[in-house]
Amino acid sequence: MSTGELACTYASLLLHDDGIAITSEKIATLVKAAGVSVESYWPSLFAKLAEKRSIDDLILNAGSGGAAAPVAVSAPAGSAGGAVAAAAPAVEEKKEEVQEESDDGDLGFSLFD
């Protein structure tokens, strides 16, 4: 991630957190006030993203792996509800195997054999 991209991300999050409309001018002002130089296209890209998508949705679905999660969440609960539930992958619980270490430290070989 470039410095400009990161600076615009933080500026967008700051504006969103304060409830201020996210525009390219406001992002550029915040980035300039922070003393970071960015390419001129970054603020406008982030402003367009904020127009198209909700910042809350972007934050909540950061690790979801794409557009499949918002579609499954926003699907109507009518007769297709079972199809959505069947299409969603089952979450498997991973069992952590605990291996007990022996107290004597015997690894099956000896340095003096």
Side-chain angles (χ1 to χ4, degrees), residues 38-54:
V38 298
E39 291 85 3
S40 60
Y41 60 87
W42 283 120
S44 61
L45 282 176
F46 276 85
K48 287 180 184 178
L49 175 67
E51 287 177 10
K52 305 252 185 224
R53 301 279 309 266
S54 168

Side-chain angles (χ1 to χ4, degrees), residues 1-12 22-28 31 36-50:
M1 183 177 283
S2 72
T3 305
E5 187 178 0
L6 191 60
C8 290
T9 300
Y10 288 142
S12 299
I22 301 172
T23 64
S24 60
E25 293 82 20
K26 290 178 183 176
I27 293 173
V31 169
V36 180
S37 61
V38 298
E39 291 85 3
S40 60
Y41 60 87
W42 283 120
S44 61
L45 282 176
F46 276 85
K48 287 180 184 178
L49 175 67

Side-chain angles (χ1 to χ4, degrees), residues 31-100:
V31 169
K32 185 177 177 183
V36 180
S37 61
V38 298
E39 291 85 3
S40 60
Y41 60 87
W42 283 120
S44 61
L45 282 176
F46 276 85
K48 287 180 184 178
L49 175 67
E51 287 177 10
K52 305 252 185 224
R53 301 279 309 266
S54 168
I55 299 296
D56 289 328
D57 288 341
L58 292 173
I59 292 169
L60 292 174
N61 295 321
S64 68
V71 172
V73 171
S74 64
S79 61
V84 171
V91 178
E92 296 180 20
E93 293 183 23
K94 295 183 180 181
K95 296 180 182 178
E96 186 174 323
E97 294 182 21
V98 179
Q99 296 180 353
E100 295 183 24

